[in-house]
């Protein structure tokens, strides 16, 4: 399949059609939530739970990159988003397990704590949905 990163905007937007539009919207909401949460917590109480707040900031960066890649469209952006969704899922599973096994390591929660329990489990559902959508758009 040819690389469509230099194609017309209509050709590149195929990632944000149909369910992809909902995916972009959900990732956008997660960007706003994670950025807001981490910026506030890092600026006001970083010394209380630096690991948790740093992980929330990392989650915000991951969400922002995936959102950008989905909006950008094209084969290279699709592949980058697919890899990032896989890394996101690995992060959610690792942090979610870590917060359950060693809760004392997290005096406060992260976006990915308890597999995203504080965010209605969207952090664990979203990367799986994203990977399925991105694979279908090959």
């Amino acid at each position: 399949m040819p690389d469509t990163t230099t194609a017309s905007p209509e050709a590149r937007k195929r990632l944000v059609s149909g369910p992809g539009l909902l995916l972009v919207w959900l990732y956008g909401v997660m960007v706003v939530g994670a950025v807001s949460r981490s910026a506030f917590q890092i600026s006001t109480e970083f010394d209380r739970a630096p690991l948790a707040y740093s992980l929330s900031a990392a989650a915000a960066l991951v969400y922002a990159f995936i959102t950008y890649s989905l909006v950008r469209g094209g084969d290279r952006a699709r592949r980058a988003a697919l890899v990032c969704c896989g890394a996101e899922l690995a992060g959610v599973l690792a942090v979610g397990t870590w917060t359950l096994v060693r809760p004392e390591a997290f005096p406060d929660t992260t976006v990915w704590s308890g597999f995203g329990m504080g965010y209605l489990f969207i952090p664990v559902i979203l990367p799986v949905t994203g990977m399925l959508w991105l694979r279908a758009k090959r």
Side-chain angles (χ1 to χ4, degrees):
M1 174 175 239
D3 185 6
T4 58
T5 56
T6 57
S8 70
E10 290 76 32
R12 291 192 324 195
K13 286 186 182 177
R14 72 177 193 269
L15 291 178
V16 293
S17 61
L21 185 58
L22 178 61
L23 204 57
V24 167
W25 185 84
L26 286 171
Y27 268 113
V29 168
M30 293 303 291
V31 169
V32 171
V35 165
S36 301
R37 175 189 184 128
S38 63
F40 175 78
Q41 290 173 322
I42 287 171
S43 66
T44 61
E45 50 194 12
F46 185 72
D47 56 332
R48 184 168 161 240
L51 176 61
Y53 303 152
S54 297
L55 287 170
S56 289
L61 292 174
V62 169
Y63 295 144
F65 180 79
I66 293 170
T67 303
Y68 169 77
S69 296
L70 289 170
V71 170
R72 176 155 170 72
D75 195 48
R76 288 174 62 195
R78 183 194 62 76
R79 283 182 280 155
L82 187 60
V83 168
C84 210
C85 282
E88 175 192 0
L89 181 60
V92 172
L93 295 175
V95 172
T97 302
W98 191 4
T99 58
L100 295 177
V101 173
R102 299 271 328 266
E104 68 278 1
F106 294 87
D108 203 354
T109 60
T110 74
V111 173
W112 293 343
S113 290
F115 307 104
M117 187 182 322
Y119 287 81
L120 304 174
F121 296 102
I122 292 172
V124 77
I125 296 167
L126 203 54
V128 172
T129 306
M131 288 189 293
L132 291 171
W133 173 251
L134 290 164
R135 289 188 54 92
K137 296 307 282 182
R138 275 192 279 184

